[in-house]
Amino acid sequence: MKNYFDLTGQVAVVTGASTGLGLQMAKAFANQGANVVLLARRMNLLEENARIIHEEFGVEVLPFACDITDTERVKEAVKATMDKFGRIDILMNNAGTGAVANAEDITDEQFKKELDIDLFGTFVCAREFGKEMIKAKYGRIINIASMYGLVGNMIVGSAPYHAAKGGVVNLTRALAAEWGKHGITINAICPGYFYTDLTTATLDSDFFQAMAKRSIPLERYGHAGELDTCALFLASPASSYVNGQNIAVDGGYTCV
């Protein structure tokens, strides 16, 4: 029986891998046999995550402290990955942030920070790791955008986040068009609301539970693991003809 999502021997780089969805997806790649590179700013968390992933899945793990807005540090992460593994097959651009305030109250600094991390950081990582993929004539780049990169919202002010994630959506298309000739596919996942350590209390509040019933056709929020299979599909050879797509994993929020 064929395992369509088999990643044995491949190397997957995941940014924002210290907590939340980034850590979940790093574990999903490891579960399919990929060696993983964990990038985030907090080395203590990365080292602990690396130990857990190695013990649970038996793959090799490289933790590397990296601010994705620091181009020189990203280049160092590429070098460290190539020195250890000699290849880069998958890049999951997951690191991001989110400024929440009414648009009329958003500061210049908040807007610039959002674009710097969510959009510029995504591009820097794609550019630097993509250089090695171009040499290898193979690669899978998966950008984590957001359903709010596709639509607006009337729940909470977050214009910088919408702008940055909308940029990621079209950056995905642009890179896919440019790098397809190199055997690289670039796609984006646009998640809806998901339960993580940081969101559980908010999503379980009466207001958000009522909103789920009202706004999401499945009438609930996403659970741990429900993003993994989309990431595995886009990372695997099974998605070889899928390129430049933005896939909403949002319970149907953006279909109505």
Side-chain angles (χ1 to χ4, degrees), residues 1 13 18 31 72 94 113 131 175 182 207-208 236 240:
M1 185 170 65
V13 179
S18 57
N31 185 57
E72 291 308 310
N94 168 73
K113 179 182 179 182
K131 290 175 183 178
L175 293 177
H182 299 300
F207 173 82
F208 272 89
S236 74
S240 56

Side-chain angles (χ1 to χ4, degrees), residues 1-7 10 32 232-233 235-239:
M1 185 170 65
K2 184 175 181 179
N3 176 3
Y4 286 97
F5 294 163
D6 183 24
L7 301 175
Q10 294 196 32
Q32 292 300 310
L232 287 173
F233 168 66
S236 74
S239 64

Side-chain angles (χ1 to χ4, degrees), residues 122-142:
T122 294
F123 174 72
V124 169
C125 289
R127 182 185 66 198
E128 298 306 325
F129 284 97
K131 290 175 183 178
E132 296 298 333
M133 294 178 176
I134 289 171
K135 293 176 188 176
K137 292 293 183 182
Y138 179 87
R140 298 281 186 269
I141 297 176
I142 307 163

Side-chain angles (χ1 to χ4, degrees), residues 13 44 46 78 155 202 239:
V13 179
N44 61 318
L46 294 179
V78 174
I155 303 163
T202 298
S239 64

Side-chain angles (χ1 to χ4, degrees), residues 23 27 47-58 61:
L23 176 57
K27 288 181 176 180
E47 289 176 337
E48 177 65 11
N49 293 342
R51 181 189 65 78
I52 291 170
I53 290 172
H54 175 68
E55 290 179 357
E56 184 172 353
F57 303 105
V61 187

Side-chain angles (χ1 to χ4, degrees), residues 2-204:
K2 184 175 181 179
N3 176 3
Y4 286 97
F5 294 163
D6 183 24
L7 301 175
T8 301
Q10 294 196 32
V11 175
V13 179
V14 181
T15 72
S18 57
T19 60
L21 296 178
L23 176 57
Q24 288 177 29
M25 288 182 283
K27 288 181 176 180
F29 292 145
N31 185 57
Q32 292 300 310
N35 299 312
V36 292
V37 180
L38 307 178
L39 302 185
R41 291 176 297 176
R42 292 174 286 180
M43 191 63 178
N44 61 318
L45 294 178
L46 294 179
E47 289 176 337
E48 177 65 11
N49 293 342
R51 181 189 65 78
I52 291 170
I53 290 172
H54 175 68
E55 290 179 357
E56 184 172 353
F57 303 105
V59 300
E60 294 301 310
V61 187
L62 173 64
F64 192 89
C66 182
D67 179 343
I68 63 169
T69 66
D70 182 341
T71 297
E72 291 308 310
R73 190 62 178 164
V74 173
K75 289 180 178 179
E76 291 168 6
V78 174
K79 183 178 185 304
T81 301
M82 293 301 294
D83 287 347
K84 182 171 179 63
F85 295 113
R87 60 190 291 174
I88 298 165
D89 302 283
I90 301 155
L91 170 64
M92 166 69 76
N93 275 316
N94 168 73
T97 186
V100 175
N102 293 330
E104 65 270 24
D105 298 321
I106 289 286
T107 66
D108 293 355
E109 290 71 24
Q110 284 176 310
F111 201 99
K112 290 174 182 177
K113 179 182 179 182
E114 195 82 36
L115 293 181
D116 201 29
I117 296 173
D118 287 6
L119 184 53
F120 176 68
T122 294
F123 174 72
V124 169
C125 289
R127 182 185 66 198
E128 298 306 325
F129 284 97
K131 290 175 183 178
E132 296 298 333
M133 294 178 176
I134 289 171
K135 293 176 188 176
K137 292 293 183 182
Y138 179 87
R140 298 281 186 269
I141 297 176
I142 307 163
N143 297 324
I144 299 298
S146 169
M147 66 180 186
Y148 286 158
L150 303 171
V151 297
N153 91 90
M154 298 170 64
I155 303 163
V156 61
S158 48
Y161 183 78
H162 285 260
K165 291 301 189 180
V168 171
V169 164
N170 219 36
L171 174 65
T172 297
R173 297 186 183 109
L175 293 177
E178 189 171 342
W179 287 354
K181 64 188 177 186
H182 299 300
I184 303 168
T185 65
I186 300 95
N187 295 286
I189 300 174
C190 300
Y193 287 103
F194 272 80
Y195 282 107
T196 68
D197 293 341
L198 296 178
T199 66
T200 295
T202 298
L203 296 185
D204 278 342

